[in-house]
Amino acid sequence: HIEEVTSVHLLQDSLHEALVDYEVSEHPEDPRRAGKLLMSLPLLRQTASKAVQHFHSIKLQGKVPMHKLFLEMLDAKI
């Protein structure tokens, strides 16, 4: 539950504006670059989820030794 919805919207607007400004200044040849980046976020999230599932299955099989820190991060993600 978000208590300050207006503040969150203002922060989102500010971050979006900063992204657009940065992309326009660094990549003027592609004015839609910021939008393309934002549209790629759902695919990145899906890919990350599949990667976690894959590493979790490897962990369960126990065929490949994994570093303790990696295992802790994997357990925290699930």
Side-chain angles (χ1 to χ4, degrees):
H1 178 60
I2 299 174
E3 294 178 10
E4 296 289 332
V5 175
T6 305
S7 296
V8 172
H9 287 160
L10 290 173
L11 177 61
Q12 287 176 333
D13 290 344
S14 174
L15 292 172
H16 181 256
E17 209 171 297
L19 174 64
V20 170
D21 289 347
Y22 174 80
E23 290 301 329
V24 166
S25 70
E26 294 297 315
H27 302 279
E29 73 284 354
D30 189 1
R32 293 188 232 158
R33 183 175 165 95
K36 291 176 188 176
L37 288 172
L38 291 173
M39 287 176 43
S40 70
L41 290 176
L43 180 59
L44 287 174
R45 183 170 294 190
Q46 180 183 14
T47 303
S49 176
K50 287 184 179 186
V52 168
Q53 290 173 354
H54 175 72
F55 284 117
H56 187 67
S57 70
I58 290 173
K59 174 190 168 192
L60 292 177
Q61 292 171 3
K63 293 181 181 178
V64 179
M66 294 185 178
H67 191 276
K68 184 179 175 183
L69 177 60
F70 181 77
L71 291 173
E72 288 178 15
M73 292 184 335
L74 185 60
D75 288 338
K77 186 71 176 171
I78 295 175

